[in-house]
Amino acid sequence: MLGSSRSRHRLTTALAGFALLATGAALQVGTGAAPAHAATTYRVLFDDGHAEEAGNADWIISTSKPDPLAQDSSPSSETDWTGALSSWGVDLQKTGSYSLKTATSALTYGGSSTTDLSNFDALVLPEPNMLFTTAEKTAIMNFVNNGGGLFMISDHTGADRNNDGYDAVEILNDLMTNNSVDSSDPFGFSIDSLDISSGYPAAISDSTDPVLNGSFGTVTKSLIADGTTATLKPSDNSNVKGLVYRSGYSGNTGAFFLTSTFGSGRVAFWGDSSPIDDGTGQSGNTLYDGWNDSGATNAALALNATAWLTGASSGSSGGGGGGGGGTGTCTAAQLLGNNGFESGNTTWSATSGVITNSSSESARTGSYYAWLDGYGSSHTDTLSQSVTIPSACTTAALSFYTHIDTAETSTSTAYDTLKVQVLNSSGTVLSTLATYSNLNAASGYTQRSFSLASYAGQTVTLKFTGAEGSTLQTSFVIDDTALNVS
C-alpha cells in the first residue's frame, strides 16, 4: 500500500511513481585515481594473496607488505628488498616514477582498502596458485575494462605449488573464461597446457612496439625454464599480439609473451615465472637468476611491459587498442560493472540491503535493482562505483533509470532527497549532477542522462546518496545504469 513505511526487509509501498535517478550507479573510488591516469607517479600492485610464496616460489618484491618502502625507503640494489622479484621492484622504484604495493588479501575494485584496485594503474599476478573467487574475478575484469593494466605471469602446467589441485595455467584460464564481466575470450588468447623444459624464445622484429623497444631497453630474447605458451585468437580480439615466440613458432601459436587490450585497459601475458626470478629471496627457497640471464633480456621485457601497462610509456602494443594509460585511441565501451545489478552485491559499494531482488518494488529489467531509503524514519543509503574515463574519449554519457514513490503529501517541501554526485579519488565532491526528492515521485521509470566528458582522463566516483526524514517514507529505486564512452 502506497505511503506505508517499510521494514529493513523492504516490505513497503506499491509503486507510486518511478523517477529517473541521476546517472548510473555511484562509482566509488578507493583512495587513488583511476587506473593508468596518474600524472607523474604510476601505481603498481603486486599480488601476494594467492599462494605466490608456496613451495620454492618467492614471487614478492619485498617482505614488507603492503609497502616495500618500510623495508628500505631508498633501495639501490636488489638485496635492499627481500624477495625473488626484488630486482623488478627496486628497478622501478629507482626511477622515481612508480609507487609499488603488495596485496595480501582478496582483490577488490571500488572499495575502501588501500590495496583496492581503484588505487592502481596496473596489477601484477606473478604465478598465482589459488583460484580467484567470483568477486575477485569481477573486480579484476572491471579494473581492466575501466582502464587498468593486467600483467599475468604463468608457469608450466602441473606447477601446483600448494597442492590444492590448481596450477597457474588453470587459474589464469579460469579468470578469462569464467567471470561475470566477459567470458567470451575477452583478451583473445588461451594459455596452453604445456611444460616446455628450456629455450630462449626470440622477440619479433617491431621497432615501434613500446614493450619491445622501451625506456628500459630493447628486448631480443626471453627465457623458458619449465614454462608454457599461449594460443592467440585474433578473431575474438583483434588487438592480441604475440611479441616473443617459442623457437619454431609464429603467428597464432607458441606465443611466449603477448599483449592485448580489453575495454579501455591493457593486458600482458608471460608464459614462465623463471624470467622474473632474480635468484635472491627468503631463506629456504630454491631460486634461480633468470632476471639477469646473459642469454636473454628479461629485465627490459618486464620493465617495458610495466611501463606500457601503467601508461608510463607512449605508443601502442597489442594491435593499438585503447590502452590502460588513457593513451592512444578511445575504444567505444560501456564502463560500469554490474550495471543492471543482476550480479547482486558485486562491483558496487552500497549500504546493506540496497541491491536487492525484493518483490516489494520492481526492477525495470531483470530481477535485481538498487533501492535506497523507504523506511519512513531517519535513514541514509549510498550506492557507488569507481570508474576511469579514458582521456582519449570525447563522449562520456552517464545514464540510469529511477523510480520514486513516496508517502509524503507535500507539493512544495523536499523532505527526502537523492543526490547524484561525482567525486574525486580523495572523496571531494566535484559536481552534484542532480538532486531528486519526494516531489519527483511519479509512476514508472524515468531515464536521466548526463555528460561526464569533462572528467576524461580521470578516475571518479559516481555516488548516489538517499537521505530520508523522520516520518513518511520515500523510496528511490535505480536500475539499468550505463556510462558509454566513445
Side-chain angles (χ1 to χ4, degrees):
M1 48 213 293
L2 179 61
S4 65
S5 63
R6 68 173 178 179
S7 71
R8 191 56 185 162
H9 299 293
R10 309 215 178 238
L11 302 174
T12 151
T13 73
L15 293 77
F18 280 65
L20 227 266
L21 217 287
T23 290
L27 299 188
Q28 178 181 12
V29 183
T31 55
H37 291 287
T40 56
T41 301
Y42 300 93
R43 303 150 303 164
V44 184
L45 181 67
F46 287 81
D47 181 49
D48 186 33
H50 297 85
E52 281 90 352
E53 296 179 68
N56 280 321
D58 197 42
W59 311 139
I60 56 174
I61 56 174
S62 169
T63 52
S64 177
K65 309 163 194 174
D67 192 351
L69 296 180
Q71 182 174 13
D72 190 318
S73 61
S74 184
S76 59
S77 69
E78 66 182 51
T79 55
D80 291 335
W81 288 354
T82 304
L85 307 189
S86 60
S87 288
W88 190 351
V90 169
D91 283 352
L92 290 174
Q93 184 66 36
K94 288 194 297 184
T95 68
S97 297
Y98 292 86
S99 173
L100 312 177
K101 295 292 189 295
T102 299
T104 57
S105 56
L107 296 170
T108 61
Y109 180 54
S112 59
S113 168
T114 56
T115 56
D116 186 83
L117 289 173
S118 63
N119 301 323
F120 296 91
D121 301 300
L123 168 66
V124 179
L125 303 178
E127 196 195 332
N129 251 247
M130 291 172 56
L131 284 170
F132 297 102
T133 66
T134 298
E136 286 181 311
K137 288 184 285 188
T138 298
I140 294 169
M141 296 299 292
N142 279 323
F143 168 68
V144 181
N145 190 41
N146 288 343
L150 177 63
F151 205 152
M152 299 190 295
I153 300 166
S154 184
D155 201 3
H156 62 89
T157 190
D160 179 9
R161 298 179 184 272
N162 61 342
N163 298 313
D164 68 345
Y166 297 97
D167 56 37
V169 173
E170 295 166 309
I171 291 164
L172 295 176
N173 276 333
D174 177 73
L175 169 63
M176 294 186 288
T177 62
N178 185 25
N179 67 79
S180 64
V181 179
D182 188 340
S183 293
S184 59
D185 193 22
F187 306 154
F189 71 92
S190 60
I191 305 171
D192 303 325
S193 295
L194 296 173
D195 183 352
I196 305 165
S197 61
S198 62
Y200 284 96
I204 65 171
S205 178
D206 187 347
S207 61
T208 65
D209 191 280
V211 175
L212 297 180
N213 299 274
S215 60
F216 292 98
T218 299
V219 176
T220 57
K221 290 185 177 182
S222 187
L223 163 72
I224 296 181
D226 287 311
T228 189
T229 56
T231 298
L232 278 57
K233 302 175 184 177
S235 60
D236 293 337
N237 186 328
S238 61
N239 288 331
V240 68
K241 178 181 179 181
L243 300 186
V244 178
Y245 283 86
R246 180 185 179 189
S247 179
Y249 291 80
S250 63
N252 294 335
T253 60
F256 184 61
F257 193 103
L258 63 83
T259 56
S260 188
T261 64
F262 175 61
S264 300
R266 294 174 169 177
V267 178
F269 165 79
W270 209 338
D272 195 357
S273 54
S274 298
I276 57 172
D277 186 344
D278 64 20
T280 68
Q282 301 173 84
S283 61
N285 291 320
T286 304
L287 302 170
Y288 303 93
D289 191 359
W291 185 264
N292 297 302
D293 190 292
S294 60
T297 48
N298 294 316
L301 183 53
L303 296 168
N304 285 344
T306 306
W308 178 73
L309 288 168
T310 60
S313 67
S314 59
S316 63
S317 188
T327 57
T329 60
C330 174
T331 301
Q334 193 289 113
L335 300 183
L336 295 183
N338 192 21
N339 62 310
F341 306 107
E342 295 306 309
S343 296
N345 288 298
T346 64
T347 310
W348 296 94
S349 294
T351 46
S352 177
V354 165
I355 298 176
T356 179
N357 63 350
S358 168
S359 60
S360 297
E361 291 282 2
S362 298
R364 177 178 176 269
T365 60
S367 301
Y368 281 81
Y369 55 90
W371 183 356
L372 290 80
D373 298 329
Y375 296 98
S377 60
S378 194
H379 185 84
T380 299
D381 275 327
T382 60
L383 173 72
S384 66
Q385 185 181 132
S386 170
V387 67
T388 298
I389 303 175
S391 60
C393 294
T394 57
T395 299
L398 173 65
S399 65
F400 57 86
Y401 287 83
T402 190
H403 158 71
I404 302 172
D405 67 59
T406 187
E408 301 286 358
T409 58
S410 174
T411 59
S412 59
T413 303
Y415 292 108
D416 312 311
T417 60
L418 174 70
K419 289 185 178 180
V420 184
Q421 296 175 311
V422 180
L423 289 67
N424 66 13
S425 59
S426 299
T428 301
V429 176
L430 301 177
S431 174
T432 297
L433 300 175
T435 299
Y436 303 100
S437 74
N438 49 283
L439 301 178
N440 300 112
S443 60
Y445 273 95
T446 303
Q447 185 180 30
R448 309 292 185 188
S449 60
F450 304 87
S451 173
L452 301 187
S454 61
Y455 302 106
Q458 300 181 46
T459 294
V460 293
T461 293
L462 296 179
K463 187 173 185 179
F464 298 91
T465 303
E468 193 172 25
S470 59
T471 54
L472 300 176
Q473 78 86 26
T474 299
S475 293
F476 300 99
V477 184
I478 303 167
D479 202 359
D480 295 335
T481 68
L483 179 54
N484 292 302
V485 298
S486 60

